[in-house]
Amino acid sequence: MEEHKQPELSLIPQDADDADLTSQDEEDEYDTELEALLDQTFADVTDYMTEEEATEYLATILEGGEIEHESSLFDRITPYVMENLKVTNYRPDQAVREASLAQKSMWRPGDGEISYLASNTLEVYLGTPERPLEIPQALKQIRQLSESTVLTARIVLGLWNIRRHNDRVSKNGSVPVLLDEILQWQGLQKHSRVAHPGANKRYTDGYRTEQKRRVLQDLTLLASCNVRGNCTITVRGKAVPIQVDGPYMRYSVVSRKTLTNDKIIIGFLVSPGDWISTYEQHQNYYLAEIDSQIFKLNPQNDRYALRIALYMTERWREQAKQGNFSTPITMSELLASSMVEVDERHMTTRFVPAIEKSLSKLEQMGILGKQICLTEVNKEQARWSKDWLASRWEILPPLKLIQEYQALNSAQKKRPRRVRAREVPKEKE
């Protein structure tokens, strides 16, 4: 995550006369503000710990600690937003999405810790494998998990997937990601002001403090999430169970010193946890296409639409393996899988119209290709809400996404492979 100097993050070349200019004093103030935000974020998440515990905890979740000599990696990246982003779509990704969006009451206390059991049977807990957070501190972090946390995870690991094989911008499995880059993917606009009353020129103040703080908090929360349980991978065509227990994601702070010996945060090196190596050492790769417009949905105003869209990207990837995108889903299953709580008190007056409006919005934005209710629901009769929950829906991805998955499957089928005698052909993802 980061803060590169603001003018250097301009994605479109501009003439000097048209550029948004920021004074050196404003740049220094901006960098100092970011560092203060990071310090405050760490202070918040270690509030219940002793100084020794806090030091050990932060050293663990910030895998590489603080690095002062990797700034060249950030100079080599050019941030831009693409139409689609290939994001990791493994069971740990799905478990952390559910845990981040689950009702807080769904987290269950255990032996000195509190954890969430995802629908795929993986458990999510907070802290480190050696020292899970105690319940009071864990509850504080659980309350901070939100739609924003999931969006940050998808963006960061999507960018990791793009850069991981580029030696110029990767190091020991980690890649650089800029803070402004994440905010840009979220469709947020930088704050600006006129140079002086009546002037046409404007100065940029960068992104708002609360926006930057939210991203920093998301990263810290994601690094604090651990996933444990049994997963299944394919080895020589056979399903083999494996166990995972470790951090979902890691990151390191990258900084440099100024001439006055002040520290300026440049950004962060990020990577998934070791769980991904367990999959990939046996050539198990799971990636899903996600429409960049999903990241621009407002976590508050578009809450239902965002949750449904995030789940559908996972469902479509699973459906792509067999090409059965038209398989119906009941409304109750859609809501449960999307981590949308049914509002029974205002079911017919508010909740149903809000869900149907969200589906229509996703279709209008092109995030959904088509959504149609296959079951006739008579809304004139009394107590029709149960019929609506049981109704079957066909929710298709956009045609372009279907074509991309079809091309991917065709390429995998044509890929030459040596098959040993008596070996069962390996399943295609």
Side-chain angles (χ1 to χ4, degrees):
M1 217 57 52
E2 100 34 73
E3 202 17 22
H4 219 301
K5 286 189 177 181
Q6 197 66 27
E8 298 175 1
L9 289 174
S10 176
L11 307 181
I12 303 175
Q14 297 175 309
D15 294 333
D17 290 340
D18 298 326
D20 288 337
L21 302 177
T22 306
S23 70
Q24 185 63 48
D25 288 343
E26 289 173 320
E27 291 178 14
D28 292 343
E29 182 179 350
Y30 181 78
D31 291 326
T32 302
E33 177 195 38
L34 180 59
E35 185 178 347
L37 284 175
L38 184 63
D39 290 342
Q40 184 59 51
T41 301
F42 289 161
D44 287 345
V45 300
T46 58
D47 185 42
Y48 283 77
M49 302 180 189
T50 65
E51 184 176 351
E52 181 180 355
E53 289 173 335
T55 301
E56 180 181 349
Y57 173 66
L58 292 178
T60 303
I61 66 170
L62 295 172
E63 180 190 25
E66 191 169 313
I67 307 170
E68 294 186 1
H69 305 290
E70 302 296 346
S71 59
S72 60
L73 291 176
F74 292 86
D75 295 334
R76 298 170 187 165
I77 63 175
T78 303
Y80 64 97
V81 176
M82 298 165 288
E83 185 176 350
N84 290 323
L85 185 65
K86 278 188 173 65
V87 302
T88 56
N89 191 46
Y90 295 80
R91 291 181 70 195
D93 294 302
Q94 297 158 7
V96 170
R97 173 185 66 84
E98 289 187 19
S100 299
L101 303 180
Q103 301 173 51
K104 308 318 172 191
S105 60
M106 297 175 71
W107 286 73
R108 301 298 183 185
D111 186 15
E113 66 174 36
I114 186 169
S115 63
Y116 171 80
L117 182 63
S119 61
N120 60 19
T121 72
L122 289 183
E123 254 188 316
V124 179
Y125 64 97
L126 302 174
T128 68
E130 298 77 19
R131 184 181 298 207
L133 290 186
E134 295 184 1
I135 293 177
Q137 177 63 20
L139 285 172
K140 181 177 179 180
Q141 291 199 20
I142 290 168
R143 286 192 290 268
Q144 295 172 341
L145 293 168
S146 68
E147 290 83 0
S148 174
T149 313
V150 183
L151 290 178
T152 299
R154 293 294 181 267
I155 293 170
V156 166
L157 293 186
L159 295 174
W160 170 82
N161 179 59
I162 290 175
R163 296 169 183 165
R164 57 184 300 203
H165 297 302
N166 184 343
D167 293 338
R168 297 182 66 252
V169 290
S170 64
K171 184 177 180 64
N172 299 327
S174 297
V175 304
V177 176
L178 305 170
L179 175 57
D180 279 28
E181 189 174 16
I182 295 175
L183 295 170
Q184 182 191 6
W185 271 91
Q186 292 179 351
L188 300 174
Q189 300 297 317
K190 293 181 180 179
H191 180 261
S192 64
R193 57 182 173 80
V194 294
H196 52 81
N200 292 325
K201 284 189 176 182
R202 302 185 67 87
Y203 292 98
T204 178
D205 293 332
Y207 292 101
R208 297 183 184 278
T209 299
E210 61 271 19
Q211 295 169 338
K212 294 179 286 185
R213 181 185 176 88
R214 178 70 249 189
V215 173
L216 291 170
Q217 179 175 279
D218 287 338
L219 263 189
T220 305
L221 290 169
L222 291 166
S224 182
C225 285
N226 289 269
V227 183
R228 67 181 170 212
N230 293 317
C231 295
T232 301
I233 62 174
T234 303
V235 180
R236 296 182 179 179
K238 295 182 179 180
V240 177
I242 60 169
Q243 279 197 326
V244 297
D245 188 359
Y248 172 62
M249 195 192 78
R250 294 191 175 102
Y251 73 100
S252 303
V253 181
V254 179
S255 63
R256 64 178 174 82
K257 288 186 177 180
T258 65
L259 295 176
T260 57
N261 216 33
D262 292 327
K263 182 180 68 176
I264 294 179
I265 295 173
I266 299 174
F268 299 85
L269 294 176
V270 299
S271 70
D274 292 337
W275 54 266
I276 200 165
S277 300
T278 307
Y279 282 92
E280 293 188 348
Q281 66 182 349
H282 295 291
Q283 289 73 55
N284 286 252
Y285 301 95
Y286 301 104
L287 300 170
E289 294 275 355
I290 187 166
D291 192 320
S292 63
Q293 289 197 85
I294 291 177
F295 301 124
K296 298 176 183 179
L297 290 168
N298 187 292
Q300 284 77 43
N301 301 335
D302 303 316
R303 183 167 172 262
Y304 292 151
L306 177 54
R307 290 182 174 222
I308 291 172
L310 288 169
Y311 165 66
M312 290 308 302
T313 60
E314 295 177 6
R315 175 177 166 85
W316 288 331
R317 186 63 191 101
E318 291 299 313
Q319 290 180 322
K321 297 175 184 179
Q322 287 78 37
N324 58 348
F325 293 107
S326 60
T327 301
I329 184 172
T330 64
M331 178 54 67
S332 59
E333 181 185 353
L334 174 64
L335 297 176
S337 299
S338 302
M339 309 306 292
V340 174
E341 181 182 5
V342 176
D343 183 0
E344 296 181 355
R345 292 184 59 188
H346 308 98
M347 189 74 176
T348 58
T349 57
R350 298 182 193 173
F351 184 72
V352 172
I355 294 298
E356 294 186 348
K357 181 180 178 181
S358 296
L359 288 170
S360 296
K361 179 170 185 174
L362 291 174
E363 184 175 13
Q364 292 167 5
M365 293 176 67
I367 295 174
L368 303 182
K370 177 183 178 183
Q371 53 90 22
I372 183 171
C373 181
L374 304 175
T375 306
E376 185 176 349
V377 179
N378 184 359
K379 296 183 180 180
E380 299 299 324
Q381 67 178 5
R383 303 180 183 278
W384 56 265
S385 59
K386 289 185 178 179
D387 292 339
W388 182 81
L389 287 172
S391 62
R392 298 165 71 247
W393 291 69
E394 183 180 70
I395 304 178
L396 296 175
L399 178 60
K400 184 176 180 181
L401 184 61
I402 295 176
Q403 293 171 337
E404 288 177 354
Y405 278 137
Q406 288 174 338
L408 175 63
N409 289 341
S410 297
Q412 289 178 331
K413 290 177 181 178
K414 294 178 181 179
R415 187 179 299 161
R417 180 177 176 275
R418 295 175 60 185
V419 180
R420 299 179 182 178
R422 299 182 182 179
E423 179 183 349
V424 180
K426 181 179 178 180
E427 294 179 0
K428 304 297 186 294
E429 181 194 345

